[in-house]
Amino acid sequence: MSLFGLVAPRGHLYGTPRPLEEDVAEMVQGGTRLGPLPPNWEVAYADNGEKYFIDHNSGTTQWNDPRELPQGWEQVDDPVYGTFYVEV
């Protein structure tokens, strides 16, 4: 499809639709939903179907889900101080 003479890259699935129900299970980790992506992030799929993540804040992409904590870190939900993260 062409808009003002520009052609979208072949096979680009930028802004893909909401996942099917069977794909929702993939969004669950350790029995807890990962929740929404951070502001201005988007899920997209490569030509081979592999999922990647777009950070529109910095204009970068990455394979790792930004909602997952790096190994050795854990989330603490404190009633006084709120949610924070610690390296264990």
Side-chain angles (χ1 to χ4, degrees):
M1 180 172 196
S2 177
L3 178 66
F4 303 113
L6 300 175
V7 178
R10 185 180 156 275
H12 185 66
L13 302 175
Y14 202 73
T16 53
R18 186 179 185 142
L20 302 172
E21 272 189 50
E22 57 266 18
D23 295 333
V24 172
E26 185 182 325
M27 291 190 235
V28 176
Q29 180 181 25
T32 346
R33 288 195 178 275
L34 293 175
L37 288 169
N40 297 315
W41 280 76
E42 178 180 2
V43 175
Y45 296 88
D47 286 339
N48 65 0
E50 192 169 354
K51 183 190 317 187
Y52 66 97
F53 299 87
I54 303 168
D55 179 357
H56 293 287
N57 300 300
S58 65
T60 59
T61 60
Q62 64 186 48
W63 296 111
N64 298 330
D65 190 325
R67 298 169 292 186
E68 296 174 357
L69 292 176
Q71 187 174 4
W73 286 79
E74 68 180 38
Q75 177 178 324
V76 176
D77 293 311
D78 185 274
V80 175
Y81 298 105
T83 301
F84 59 94
Y85 304 90
V86 295
E87 187 174 8
V88 292

